[in-house]
Amino acid sequence: MSLFLTQLMNGIGNGAVYASLALALVLIFRTTGILNFSQGEMALYSTYLVWYFSNRGLPVWVAILLSMTLSFIGGAAIERIVIRPVERASPLVLVIVTIGMFLAINSIVQVQFGADAKHLTRAYPAHVWRPGNVQISADTLVLVGILILECLFLYLLLQRTKLGLGVRAAASNPESSRLLGVPVGRTLMFGWGLAAALGALAGSLAIPASQPALSAASMQSILVFSFAAAALGGFDSTIGAVVGGMIVGVAQTLTTQYIKALSDIVLVVPFGLILVVLMVRPQGLFGSRHVERV
């Protein structure tokens, strides 16, 4: 039982990472209707910025905050320069654009920072507690705590502020929002910038907790599981992103521990679970059902 509870806690920690990046995916989808396949590489570049600033002597948390600020600006610039000119194009064009951004940002990272692996300083001590022979790591507690703060921030922003009301209005009906005086363009830029900042925070905390070193491929597997979490919970639901992230994280960890035959292909169980759920609810567990009048 102690082994099961230990793996469960590890899965919750992994799920918090996937949920954090899934929140960024959901935020962009809700504001622009775009599945951003470059979200992981945007977070990767931000994480490299954390490494760069911390190597220049800045405290890690200061480096993270500075990286989040620059990522917010960069995300807003990407929406304005890259996405807006093609925002009315077909979904296939938008997918190709975001995949192109994925490849471009990954190449920029390797050119700017080098292809060799980097050591990313932890933002907190790596401590493990063992109450009742159950291992609970500092990584799990910090990642879950950060996820809770992100959810609280997004709730207050989207539900209790005028800016959040504008974001939701622009996402729901941009044409009517423009007629009511909502600056839709700036609102969409804000959504992309906020998603980039959330991705920066997720990457800078997840890499030291889950990987021995920072490399150009560090965020790719995390992005895959985060997409799975968003699809499972519903691409238009922040609650779904959190629940989906936890389900995917726990399923991945328990699969690795108890099903040895699938330990090298851990995608099987989480994605099999997603397939079953989507066959019953195509919009995801918490996604909105779209009804069209004929």
Side-chain angles (χ1 to χ4, degrees), residues 102-238:
F102 173 99
L103 298 174
I105 295 173
N106 190 274
S107 299
I108 291 171
V109 163
Q110 297 184 63
V111 170
Q112 183 174 352
F113 299 104
D116 56 314
K118 316 292 185 185
H119 173 70
L120 186 62
T121 305
R122 299 178 66 92
Y124 50 88
H127 190 74
V128 177
W129 294 270
R130 293 179 173 83
N133 206 30
V134 176
Q135 295 185 16
I136 303 176
S137 68
D139 293 327
T140 298
L141 298 180
V142 170
L143 292 171
V144 171
I146 292 295
L147 177 62
I148 292 173
L149 290 177
E150 289 176 350
C151 293
L152 180 61
F153 169 75
L154 289 176
Y155 172 78
L156 294 176
L157 174 67
L158 297 176
Q159 303 294 332
R160 294 290 186 266
T161 67
K162 184 178 180 180
L163 176 60
L165 178 61
V167 169
R168 290 189 291 128
S172 176
N173 194 326
E175 298 301 329
S176 297
S177 299
R178 287 188 179 95
L179 294 176
L180 294 174
V182 176
V184 173
R186 281 181 288 173
T187 300
L188 298 182
M189 288 176 64
F190 174 80
W192 272 78
L194 183 58
L198 291 177
L201 180 59
S204 59
L205 295 178
I207 299 301
S210 61
Q211 301 181 21
L214 174 64
S215 69
S218 291
M219 290 299 298
Q220 293 175 12
S221 61
I222 295 177
L223 178 64
V224 170
F225 284 113
S226 298
F227 257 108
L232 180 60
F235 272 104
D236 60 349
S237 171
T238 52

Side-chain angles (χ1 to χ4, degrees), residues 7 15 22 25 29 35 43 64 87 100 116 145 151 159 183 197 203 208 218 220 225 230 253 263:
Q7 294 302 317
L25 293 168
F29 185 82
L35 295 178
I64 291 175
E87 64 180 354
D116 56 314
C151 293
Q159 303 294 332
S218 291
Q220 293 175 12
F225 284 113
T253 304
S263 60

Side-chain angles (χ1 to χ4, degrees), residues 61-135:
W61 282 106
V62 175
I64 291 175
L65 292 175
L66 182 56
S67 173
M68 290 177 65
T69 302
L70 294 176
S71 299
F72 179 90
I73 297 172
I78 286 174
E79 193 282 331
R80 182 65 183 88
I81 298 171
V82 180
I83 300 299
R84 194 171 303 182
V86 296
E87 64 180 354
R88 298 184 183 276
S90 68
L92 179 60
V93 171
L94 294 172
V95 167
I96 293 173
V97 168
T98 59
I99 292 177
M101 288 170 52
F102 173 99
L103 298 174
I105 295 173
N106 190 274
S107 299
I108 291 171
V109 163
Q110 297 184 63
V111 170
Q112 183 174 352
F113 299 104
D116 56 314
K118 316 292 185 185
H119 173 70
L120 186 62
T121 305
R122 299 178 66 92
Y124 50 88
H127 190 74
V128 177
W129 294 270
R130 293 179 173 83
N133 206 30
V134 176
Q135 295 185 16

